[in-house]
Amino acid sequence: MPEKSLTVATYAAGASLAAITLIYVFGPTYFLDTQKKGVVGLSNPANDCFINSVLQALAGLGDLRLYLIRETHRRDLDDGVVYSQVIPPEEWQAAVGSADGAQASKKMPAWKIEGLQRGIVTRGLKDILDSLNERPIYKKTISAAPFVRTLEQAFQQRISRQQQDAQEFLQVVAERLCDEYHAGRRARQFAKRRGELPLVVSIVKPVDDLEGSGAGKGEAKGEEEDEDEDGFPLEGQFESQIECLTCGFKPRPTESTFCTLNLNVPQTSATTLNTCFDGMFKTEYIDDFKCEKCRLLHAVTVFEPEAKKSTSDSLVAKAQAAVTKLQVAIDTDPEQPPKDVELPDMRHAPKRRIARHIRLTKFPKVLAVHLSRSIYDTSNYSQKNSAKVSFPERLSLGGLLQQKKYKLLGLVTHKGSHHSGHYESFRRQNVYPPFSNPNTFQPSGPYSGTATPISTPEVRALQQKPGENTTPTSTLDLPSLEPGAVADSPASSPVSATVPSPSPNFGWSSSGKSSPLSGSRRSGLAPNPRDRETDANSLRSVAASARSTLSKIASRPSSRADNSAAALSANAPPASKKPPGTTKPKRKKTSDRWWRISDEKVKEANTRDVLSMQREVYLLFYELEKD
């Protein structure tokens, strides 16, 4: 009798321990994701809402966080000398490919170039975004002061806290990150040419690509590493093309890069985001423009009459030579007129009407849109444009052959006048694979975003042997990871399990054969008290017994009169009977859940609340959807 009470107490303690273990292992991902206050706030000691709102919006951009992790990890792997050595202007020109880059490097002080190459702001932003993406179980507030000090160190000047613009802060941070990316890339290329940086194949390439590659193939991959990488996710590119409506000449398009796309809000009561895009990308007609080709054609019409009227043979030959050279330039490249021909004064060149087109040539991974709401009158007085701007949750850009689709991940709103007010931010409740691992027991590659140690073994019940007196159980006992442990349940009869192995390194038996864990079960011997004590000490055995007990409790029939029917349906889950008139509350979809953050105040919102901020919307953050 004492032995039985001790066994019951042992298994009760084991079941409690197993339940606690399951909660601590599998519970955090679910419970932390459903917390009402599961996001970190930012304190506002001195008008820092413009900083806090931008940082909270950036914290919800997964592609930006992946970029920051990649860049900081790359700089940690490389030698510090690679980024501390200032690149000479001539090498800067070779890396950039233009003389403008060399002139810019000459005007830039050495401390600023070194700071760009080391990626000071990149590392500082990664640290603050990692802190903001913690999943606390209680209300937590941190300060943005460390990141502000990093910016002040990078620019060596103090940042004012007097009612600043969130868009200006975003532009400063984004352009600095973009400059640090290109500076680090130039530093690595310079070190490779000098032989100071060992040739390393890109860390984002899978290991399968490296198998069977020789030294020459590895060198080719290492040289193309920087060219194949994605680059800064907020950096995009557009080109401006003009066309003369008189002669039809199209000069070379002017390419420009951007980190934030500025769109003007029309002065109406209500508009849409697509209308704002049309205001930037629609065809614009400009008058009184002096076309290069029309200027050369005008010069030909000037030189030809002079050649006919002149009586000097030398002047006639000179004019005819000039006409010939101008005609060649008109046919080949009107933007490169002959240098030895003196053209008429620019004031006498004809004025034409041109059409100007702007189109995106490089779509960024993260599209940051700024809605410019400033209105200036004739007296230079500025006020805020409070027009309603409706924006979609999913945005399509590009033509039919080059269409890109974006998904809204965050926005910054402003309430108040043009000279004062308060900024808030909305960010979608996304948890990306690199930061939480939902597929814990699934196999993964060495460079997978959801890396795991092993995969979950399959558990299959053995067929009952003739002559064995066993009763069916509702659940199978899981095998223990220890070689000598045996899963035992006091309420169930001996049932063995086979565990096929995906890899021989873990000691599992192959399919079709029983594992050593179930050897004692198949022998038909009854377990002695020592074996029972050993099973109670095994965590896997306790977990198995807890599962068996819970399943039996769940499958207990509601009525004791029909025991035969309950025994037949022991393995099936019981049908839950709900009282009439009661419905289970629907849980919000993960994609429909947002955080509304105002400094340290955090509230939960949905997509309808976000899309209703039409009068207050100021900054929009869209992420490119994966194909």
Side-chain angles (χ1 to χ4, degrees):
M1 189 68 181
E3 181 182 357
K4 184 176 181 181
S5 60
L6 179 61
T7 303
V8 173
T10 301
Y11 278 100
S16 302
L17 179 61
I20 295 174
T21 305
L22 293 174
I23 291 175
Y24 272 87
V25 172
F26 300 101
T29 303
Y30 173 78
F31 286 106
L32 294 184
D33 288 348
T34 56
Q35 285 290 327
K36 296 290 184 180
K37 299 179 181 179
V39 70
V40 180
L42 288 169
S43 60
N44 186 4
N47 297 326
D48 290 344
C49 62
F50 71 100
I51 298 177
N52 298 342
S53 59
V54 172
L55 291 179
Q56 290 286 4
L58 295 180
L61 305 177
D63 286 336
L64 177 62
R65 294 197 63 201
L66 290 177
Y67 162 79
L68 296 176
I69 294 173
R70 185 193 70 191
E71 286 299 311
T72 53
H73 184 58
R74 172 179 290 171
R75 284 177 167 85
D76 291 339
L77 290 179
D78 296 337
D79 192 359
V81 182
V82 174
Y83 302 100
S84 60
Q85 185 177 3
V86 180
I87 302 178
E90 57 273 8
E91 294 290 340
W92 189 297
Q93 178 179 353
V96 176
S98 64
D100 297 337
Q103 295 296 331
S105 64
K106 290 181 180 179
K107 299 178 182 179
M108 193 178 300
W111 62 266
K112 189 172 184 179
I113 297 178
E114 182 180 353
L116 290 173
Q117 295 176 172
R118 290 169 52 195
I120 300 176
V121 179
T122 300
R123 189 175 299 274
L125 184 61
K126 176 186 176 299
D127 295 338
I128 189 67
L129 295 191
D130 289 346
S131 301
L132 291 177
N133 278 280
E134 293 180 2
R135 311 295 288 177
I137 58 177
Y138 57 90
K139 185 177 180 180
K140 183 177 180 180
T141 303
I142 62 175
S143 175
F147 181 67
V148 174
R149 287 193 294 267
T150 302
L151 286 176
E152 293 176 347
Q153 177 188 357
F155 293 99
Q156 291 193 1
Q157 62 182 11
R158 186 170 179 81
I159 297 179
S160 176
R161 307 293 182 88
Q162 298 297 328
Q163 296 292 342
Q164 298 297 323
D165 188 11
Q167 186 270 336
E168 294 179 358
F169 178 76
L170 172 64
Q171 187 173 0
V172 169
V173 174
E175 291 182 354
R176 174 72 186 198
L177 292 175
C178 186
D179 293 341
E180 287 183 354
Y181 164 72
H182 291 290
R185 180 180 178 182
R186 287 190 295 267
R188 289 189 293 270
Q189 292 177 353
F190 177 65
K192 287 178 182 179
R193 287 193 296 268
R194 292 173 59 90
E196 297 177 356
L197 182 65
L199 196 57
V200 181
V201 185
S202 175
I203 60 176
V204 297
K205 298 290 184 181
V207 174
D208 298 339
D209 296 344
L210 307 181
E211 296 179 357
S213 60
K217 187 176 180 180
E219 293 178 1
K221 286 187 178 182
E223 292 175 357
E224 297 177 357
E225 171 188 351
D226 292 335
E227 298 179 1
D228 295 339
E229 66 187 15
D230 295 331
F232 183 56
L234 270 75
E235 184 181 15
Q237 191 176 47
F238 63 87
E239 67 176 18
S240 175
Q241 177 73 68
I242 62 174
E243 178 183 3
C244 180
L245 299 181
T246 302
C247 64
F249 173 64
K250 295 181 180 180
R252 295 186 183 89
T254 304
E255 295 183 350
S256 303
T257 58
F258 66 91
C259 294
T260 57
L261 205 58
N262 299 320
L263 303 179
N264 293 322
V265 178
Q267 298 183 27
T268 57
S269 59
T271 184
T272 62
L273 183 62
N274 291 331
T275 304
C276 298
F277 272 106
D278 293 340
M280 179 178 181
F281 294 106
K282 71 177 182 180
T283 303
E284 181 182 5
Y285 297 96
I286 304 174
D287 296 323
D288 299 336
F289 185 85
K290 295 184 178 181
C291 173
E292 296 292 340
K293 185 176 181 179
C294 291
R295 184 187 179 190
L296 296 183
L297 293 173
H298 174 261
V300 170
T301 58
V302 171
F303 287 131
E304 286 181 348
E306 291 182 356
K308 294 180 180 179
K309 294 179 181 179
S310 178
T311 57
S312 174
D313 296 338
S314 59
L315 293 178
V316 171
K318 184 179 179 180
Q320 291 178 351
V323 170
T324 303
K325 293 179 181 180
L326 290 175
Q327 194 63 42
V328 172
I330 291 172
D331 297 336
T332 57
D333 189 3
E335 294 182 282
Q336 299 293 334
K339 297 181 180 180
D340 54 348
V341 176
E342 185 177 357
L343 298 178
D345 194 354
M346 192 68 178
R347 295 177 297 176
H348 304 294
K351 298 179 180 180
R352 305 301 186 190
R353 180 180 175 87
I354 63 170
R356 181 170 176 261
H357 317 272
I358 297 179
R359 68 183 186 94
L360 286 175
T361 56
K362 178 184 177 182
F363 293 87
K365 279 190 171 182
V366 177
L367 179 64
V369 180
H370 165 231
L371 298 178
S372 180
R373 293 181 174 271
S374 300
I375 302 176
Y376 298 92
D377 54 10
T378 55
S379 59
N380 242 356
Y381 178 77
S382 59
Q383 58 181 351
K384 180 181 178 181
N385 184 1
S386 300
K388 289 185 177 181
V389 180
S390 61
F391 51 94
E393 184 180 4
R394 280 177 169 79
L395 178 66
S396 298
L397 293 178
L400 296 177
L401 301 179
Q402 197 183 11
Q403 190 174 25
K404 303 293 183 180
K405 295 184 178 180
Y406 287 86
K407 182 180 180 181
L408 182 65
L409 291 188
L411 72 154
V412 174
T413 61
H414 178 265
K415 291 183 178 180
S417 63
H418 188 269
H419 303 282
S420 63
H422 182 67
Y423 288 100
E424 291 183 350
S425 62
F426 291 80
R427 49 179 288 197
R428 192 183 292 270
Q429 297 186 23
N430 283 341
V431 181
Y432 291 87
F435 318 119
S436 71
N437 193 357
N439 302 325
T440 307
F441 295 103
Q442 297 296 330
S444 59
Y447 290 98
S448 174
T450 57
T452 55
I454 58 174
S455 59
T456 305
E458 297 180 4
V459 179
R460 296 183 300 176
L462 289 178
Q463 296 180 357
Q464 180 180 351
K465 289 185 176 182
E468 290 184 353
N469 186 14
T470 59
T471 56
T473 56
S474 58
T475 42
L476 293 175
D477 295 336
L478 291 176
S480 172
L481 290 176
E482 300 179 2
V486 180
D488 190 14
S489 175
S492 62
S493 63
V495 178
S496 60
T498 59
V499 184
S501 171
S503 173
N505 298 331
F506 300 102
W508 303 108
S509 61
S510 59
S511 59
K513 298 180 181 180
S514 61
S515 67
L517 307 177
S518 59
S520 61
R521 289 293 186 184
R522 299 192 63 174
S523 61
L525 299 177
N528 51 26
R530 294 182 180 179
D531 295 335
R532 186 166 297 179
E533 293 177 0
T534 305
D535 297 342
N537 294 332
S538 174
L539 180 61
R540 299 290 291 183
S541 176
V542 172
S545 63
R547 290 185 55 187
S548 178
T549 304
L550 294 176
S551 62
K552 283 181 174 293
I553 295 175
S555 60
R556 184 176 299 172
S558 59
S559 176
R560 295 183 179 180
D562 194 3
N563 292 333
S564 59
L568 294 176
S569 61
N571 293 332
S576 59
K577 298 181 179 180
K578 299 180 181 179
T582 60
T583 57
K584 186 177 180 181
K586 294 183 179 180
R587 183 184 175 186
K588 292 183 179 180
K589 297 181 181 179
T590 305
S591 60
D592 191 47
R593 299 164 61 193
W594 291 71
W595 296 119
R596 181 173 183 174
I597 308 172
S598 175
D599 295 330
E600 68 274 359
K601 298 179 182 179
V602 179
K603 298 180 181 179
E604 197 175 40
N606 53 27
T607 306
R608 181 181 299 177
D609 299 333
V610 174
L611 298 181
S612 64
M613 306 298 293
Q614 300 179 4
R615 195 180 298 275
E616 298 86 3
V617 61
Y618 189 59
L619 295 175
L620 292 165
F621 296 90
Y622 286 91
E623 190 175 64
L624 185 64
E625 291 186 346
K626 279 70 176 178
D627 295 335

